[in-house]
Amino acid sequence: MPPLLTLSDLTKTFGGLSAISNVNIEVHQGEIVGLIGPNGAGKTTLFNLITGVYIPTNGSLTLHGEVEINLAKASPHEIARMGIARTFQNIRLFKNMTVLDNVLLAFHTHVNYSMWEAILHLPSFNKKEAQLKKEALDLLKIFNLDRKRDTLAKNLPYGEQRRLEIARALALKPRLLLLDEPAAGMNPQESAELMELIKWMRKEFNLTILLIEHDMSVVMGICERIYVLDYGSLIAEGSPEQIKNDPRVIKAYLGEV
C-alpha cells in the first residue's frame, strides 16, 4: 500500500534563499509522525506547502488514495476538501464568532446548498442545518466545549482555544491532520492530556497525524517516526529512540542528552 502522503525532492525558495531543500517524506495511513528541528528550520513552511499556502519551487506533493492527487496544483480550500486539515502555531480562530459557529463554519465546507434553498429556507435547507448543528455540538462535547457553545472564541482561556481549533479542524473531516505546535503554552499536565487526546483522535476518527512540536516529551511519547529538519534540509529520520541518539540531531537541535 502506498503512503497516504509523499513529498519528493520538495524545494521552496524565497528570493533565491532555500527555505526547504530537496525534502523527501512519507506518511503512512494511521501513523503519528513528528517533524522537529530548530526555529527557522522550515517546519511551518513545509506545512504551508502541504496545505497549498505556498507553491513548491521544485519537487512534488502527492496525496494517495483511490486517485493520486498532485497537491501542488490545488488551492488551499480544495486541499481541505480532499481531506487535509491543520492547526496553527499561533491559534487562528474566528475570535468574534461563537464557539459553535467556529465549528459550524468548518462543517459547511462539506454541504452544498442551492441558492434558493438558502434564500427561502426551504425544508431541505432547515434539515441540513439541524443535522450540522447536532454534529457540531456532538464534536464540541468530545472536547468539553459544548457548555460554552455561545461563548465568543476570544473569551475562552488559552487551553480551550487550542481545543476549539483542533475541534474545528476535525469538523473538516480530514484523513490527514497537521498539528503545528499543539502543546505550545501548555504546562506538563496539559501536555500529558494532549498526548492522550491525540492518540484517542487517531483511533476514533481514523486519522493520520503529522505534527510539529518542540516539547520532546510529547514528540517522543506519541510519534512512531520522526523527521528532523535543519536549515531546510532533512538531517535524520527514524524512531524516537533513533532520533534521540542520533549525533547529528543532538548537535543541531537536542543538545547533550
Side-chain angles (χ1 to χ4, degrees):
M1 180 179 293
L4 177 62
L5 177 72
T6 301
L7 312 183
S8 300
D9 296 324
L10 196 63
T11 297
K12 179 61 181 177
T13 60
F14 296 97
L17 298 176
S18 291
I20 294 292
S21 181
N22 298 314
V23 167
N24 294 280
I25 286 177
E26 291 185 349
V27 181
H28 293 264
Q29 177 68 40
E31 283 190 303
I32 300 177
V33 177
L35 181 64
I36 67 172
N39 288 328
K43 303 181 298 296
T44 296
T45 298
L46 197 66
F47 270 24
N48 286 338
L49 287 165
I50 295 170
T51 54
V53 176
Y54 297 151
I55 297 172
T57 306
N58 289 300
S60 63
L61 308 90
T62 306
L63 184 66
H64 299 276
E66 293 182 5
V67 178
E68 291 192 357
I69 299 168
N70 181 355
L71 296 177
K73 294 184 177 180
S75 65
H77 74 272
E78 289 172 333
I79 289 172
R81 286 184 176 179
M82 292 171 191
I84 299 178
R86 71 176 293 183
T87 64
F88 294 85
Q89 180 180 351
N90 299 313
I91 297 171
R92 296 187 187 179
L93 296 169
F94 296 101
K95 295 186 180 294
N96 289 311
M97 293 175 63
T98 66
V99 167
L100 178 60
D101 284 341
N102 265 272
V103 175
L104 277 173
L105 192 63
F107 270 116
H108 273 96
T109 62
H110 292 281
V111 176
N112 293 317
Y113 299 125
S114 71
M115 180 179 68
W116 293 112
E117 280 181 303
I119 292 175
L120 299 176
H121 280 227
L122 297 177
S124 57
F125 172 86
N126 293 329
K127 183 178 180 180
K128 290 175 184 177
E129 284 293 298
Q131 179 60 33
L132 287 182
K133 186 173 181 180
K134 180 183 183 302
E135 291 182 27
L137 288 172
D138 287 344
L139 187 56
L140 288 174
K141 189 172 183 179
I142 290 171
F143 288 86
N144 295 318
L145 292 169
D146 52 315
R147 294 183 180 179
K148 296 191 175 183
R149 53 186 280 185
D150 297 320
T151 301
L152 295 181
K154 67 182 180 181
N155 293 332
L156 293 177
Y158 178 85
E160 291 183 349
Q161 287 192 30
R162 181 66 75 180
R163 293 208 307 273
L164 176 57
E165 189 182 37
I166 294 173
R168 187 181 63 183
L170 290 177
L172 292 170
K173 301 181 180 180
R175 290 185 286 161
L176 174 64
L177 178 62
L178 310 181
L179 300 175
D180 194 345
E181 296 195 34
M186 293 187 176
N187 61 41
Q189 176 61 32
E190 289 171 332
S191 294
E193 292 172 357
L194 175 69
M195 284 194 289
E196 293 306 311
L197 176 62
I198 291 173
K199 289 188 285 188
W200 179 85
M201 288 192 307
R202 188 252 300 263
K203 180 179 179 181
E204 183 71 14
F205 293 92
N206 192 29
L207 287 173
T208 302
I209 297 171
L210 177 62
L211 67 91
I212 296 171
E213 187 52 69
H214 284 292
D215 186 333
M216 287 300 101
S217 65
V218 172
V219 174
M220 299 296 174
I222 63 173
C223 293
E224 287 101 6
R225 292 189 302 116
I226 300 169
Y227 287 93
V228 188
L229 277 175
D230 189 30
Y231 293 106
S233 297
L234 277 179
I235 61 170
E237 180 265 327
S239 67
E241 191 65 24
Q242 289 171 322
I243 294 301
K244 184 172 64 174
N245 294 296
D246 190 309
R248 296 166 298 178
V249 180
I250 293 171
K251 181 180 179 180
Y253 183 54
L254 295 181
E256 295 300 324
V257 293

